[in-house]
Amino acid sequence: MKPTTKSSSGTSFFGHEVYTTVNDLTKVCGEPVYDGNDGQDKVNFEWEMELDSGDVFTIYDWKEYRSIDKNEPIEFHIGGHSELVTKRALNVLLNKLQA
């Protein structure tokens, strides 16, 4: 898993979420590509990532509508081009977070 330069356009949410903090995601994914932590939009933080297979996925908070404390655990959605990609991304992400 690594940050991607590929387009994440067309990724969707297929029901896979991870409960963690912004700081923990930043440790394993690097800096978010979007950090608008003002609570004004549907998303405050977003990471665009790529699996070793080359499949692209996104990680983002959804409809918090408030500034998020970077140490506060919340649900983050995982978006991808298929349910299989988001499930694989969740598994890789959980392994990295638990390491």
Side-chain angles (χ1 to χ4, degrees), residues 1-3 18-21 23-30 49-52 57 59 78 87-99:
M1 176 180 81
K2 64 181 182 182
V18 61
Y19 187 73
T20 191
T21 68
N23 282 338
D24 286 344
L25 281 174
T26 301
K27 286 177 190 172
V28 299
C29 298
M49 304 297 293
E50 184 177 327
L51 295 170
D52 290 344
F57 67 98
I59 306 162
I78 299 174
K87 185 176 182 177
R88 287 180 180 160
L90 174 60
N91 289 334
V92 170
L93 189 56
L94 288 174
N95 285 335
K96 297 268 186 192
L97 288 167
Q98 294 169 359

Side-chain angles (χ1 to χ4, degrees), residues 58-76:
T58 58
I59 306 162
Y60 55 96
D61 65 285
W62 185 244
K63 293 187 177 181
E64 290 291 328
Y65 292 123
R66 62 186 174 83
S67 295
I68 298 168
D69 181 311
K70 293 183 178 184
N71 289 311
E72 173 189 1
I74 64 167
E75 292 285 339
F76 286 88

Side-chain angles (χ1 to χ4, degrees), residues 8 10-18 57-62 75-87 90:
S8 65
T11 57
S12 298
F13 178 62
F14 289 93
H16 293 102
E17 299 172 321
V18 61
F57 67 98
T58 58
I59 306 162
Y60 55 96
D61 65 285
W62 185 244
E75 292 285 339
F76 286 88
H77 285 201
I78 299 174
H81 290 111
S82 72
E83 183 176 3
L84 181 60
V85 168
T86 61
K87 185 176 182 177
L90 174 60

